[in-house]
DNA sequence: CGCTCGTTTGAGAGGACTCAAGGTAGGTGG
DNA sequence: CCACCTACCTTGAGTCCTCTCAAACGAGCG
């Protein structure tokens, strides 16, 4: 979902700065706003009592989040935190609904966004069905950074820790597995940067 | 999503019997239809090369499936198989769109369905963030069979194998964990039936 | 009764996790 | 230009626990 910034502003949306590592909202709380990233990057994740975190998504500028909970009036099923200094637009449900009323075409965009998210989350199950670290990493890479026809490898803009937090393994396991995958030529590692 | 059976029929939907264990469609194939369960039960799952399966959902009568892939024209991200003798209605995308054209109110239902699915799948991440079998089972039970105010325990209508396939553990691990949870009074087991 | 499907228990191996320590790149400040 | 700092990456050793494989038990049904 990406609603024009000017429209959001015109209907009462407010831009807000969030510093790196600031929480935008927390798992289990009641949703009150629609959020859209203007600048920076926001991470959606859930955590357990040990402080371990599982990443559900990393959102770049232009992406929205929190809609499903807002529409359903169910509590947030994940937390949101800025991973860089960011700017996000916040708008209440009422005002958002006004936008949808005046711009009915947006409904199609909403359906598409939600369908994409369902499809994406479904694809992620590939990570969980396979207990072998190497397969998990492969699934993760293929879902998030699918190979194009050309054999060009793309750089993966994530830390080892972030990859670990996506697939539910420890950093050390990810590192050791990546080394093995590099030797098997399944990925490339140049100057500590990962290419798939 | 639940579209009236008569409408589906009127617009060209076809009822089809599927025997227990029959595949409705397979992961990775191109979606061609919208599906709705009339009778029986359908399981959505993905599998790995070892034949291990991970359940993404069990659909009772009245539930639809396969919409996101259909709308997005992306390949199915899971397989669908009847777990009981079932009847499902099948209708092509074109015909489905005719229904949406003539019954615009259904769009709201669609948005709600998709939002619910996103929210549900988000909740499931609780299973993966926690490496401890007991916590996984607790998360699974709480997401799918949430405790009501009353302390009445509900029977969980799943086999141990199905639970294992939901949370990505082996049957034996699930069984051993459930025994421990029973001793800790976190669940009840009466005559092999599980109550939460 | 005997079959089938699901549940249960046991013993052993493998591998991810844990904890601890060191290495390296990039940025900052003097 | 260099020393330092911080964040991230890497390696090692040992423990724990899930998986694996095998076998037996129990319930429901024709």
């Amino acid at each position: 979902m990406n609603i024009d910034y000017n429209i959001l502003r015109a209907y009462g949306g407010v831009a807000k700065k969030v510093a790196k590592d600031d929480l935008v909202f927390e798992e289990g709380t009641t949703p009150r706003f629609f959020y859209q990233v203007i600048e920076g990057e926001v991470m959606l994740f859930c955590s357990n009592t040990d402080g371990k975190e599982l990443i559900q998504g990393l959102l770049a500028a232009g992406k929205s989040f929190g809609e499903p909970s807002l529409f359903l009036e169910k509590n947030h099923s994940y937390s949101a935190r800025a991973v860089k200094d960011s700017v996000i637009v916040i708008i209440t449900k009422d005002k958002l609904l006004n936008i949808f009323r005046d711009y009915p075409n947006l409904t199609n965009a909403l359906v598409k966004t939600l369908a994409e998210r369902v499809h994406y989350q479904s694809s992620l199950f590939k990570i969980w069905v396979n207990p072998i670290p190497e397969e998990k990493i492969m699934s993760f890479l293929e879902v998030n950074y699918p190979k194009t026809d050309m054999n060009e490898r793309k750089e993966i803009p994530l830390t080892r820790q972030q990859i670990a937090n996506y697939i539910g393994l420890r950093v050390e396991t990810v590192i050791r597995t990546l080394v093995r995958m590099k030797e098997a030529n399944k990925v490339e590692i140049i100057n500590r940067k990962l290419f798939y």
Side-chain angles (χ1 to χ4, degrees), chain A residues 16-70:
Chain A
K16 192 180 160 190
K17 282 189 188 176
V18 276
K20 183 176 187 313
D21 296 334
D22 274 3
L23 272 177
V24 178
F25 59 74
E26 207 162 354
E27 202 180 337
T29 57
T30 304
R32 303 178 49 213
F33 305 106
F34 168 87
Y35 304 88
Q36 190 168 301
V37 182
I38 300 299
E39 204 185 296
E41 190 171 23
V42 171
M43 168 173 113
L44 309 182
F45 67 100
C46 69
S47 46
N48 71 5
T49 44
D50 297 339
K52 187 176 172 182
E53 297 181 350
L54 191 67
I55 301 178
Q56 299 202 19
L58 282 174
L59 306 181
K63 300 289 183 179
S64 64
F65 56 101
E67 319 92 320
S69 301
L70 185 62

Side-chain angles (χ1 to χ4, degrees), chain A residues 57-172:
Chain A
L58 282 174
L59 306 181
K63 300 289 183 179
S64 64
F65 56 101
E67 319 92 320
S69 301
L70 185 62
F71 287 128
L72 297 172
E73 315 219 325
K74 291 186 179 179
N75 287 350
H76 287 301
S77 45
Y78 46 74
S79 303
R81 185 203 297 141
V83 290
K84 301 177 184 171
D85 289 338
S86 305
V87 179
I88 60 180
V89 180
I90 291 179
I91 190 169
T92 63
K93 183 177 180 178
D94 289 348
K95 291 171 180 166
L96 179 68
L97 291 181
N98 289 339
I99 298 180
F100 274 101
R101 182 197 57 209
D102 296 346
Y103 297 85
N105 285 346
L106 280 179
T107 305
N108 290 326
L110 176 63
V111 168
K112 193 166 172 233
T113 306
L114 291 174
E116 267 166 1
R117 211 161 307 170
V118 172
H119 191 270
Y120 173 70
Q121 291 181 329
S122 276
S123 313
L124 287 184
F125 275 76
K126 272 271 161 238
I127 294 174
W128 312 118
V129 71
N130 221 310
I132 301 164
E134 177 165 330
E135 310 266 1
K136 283 179 186 285
I137 294 180
M138 286 301 269
S139 302
F140 168 73
L141 291 173
E142 188 54 35
V143 169
N144 288 285
Y145 306 93
K147 274 247 165 70
T148 55
D149 296 335
M150 305 160 285
N151 278 22
E152 284 174 10
R153 295 193 186 272
K154 272 172 291 199
E155 182 178 345
I156 309 301
L158 300 171
T159 66
R160 308 289 195 259
Q161 184 65 62
Q162 284 177 318
I163 296 176
N165 286 354
Y166 258 109
I167 63 184
L169 296 174
R170 302 267 94 159
V171 206
E172 299 94 328

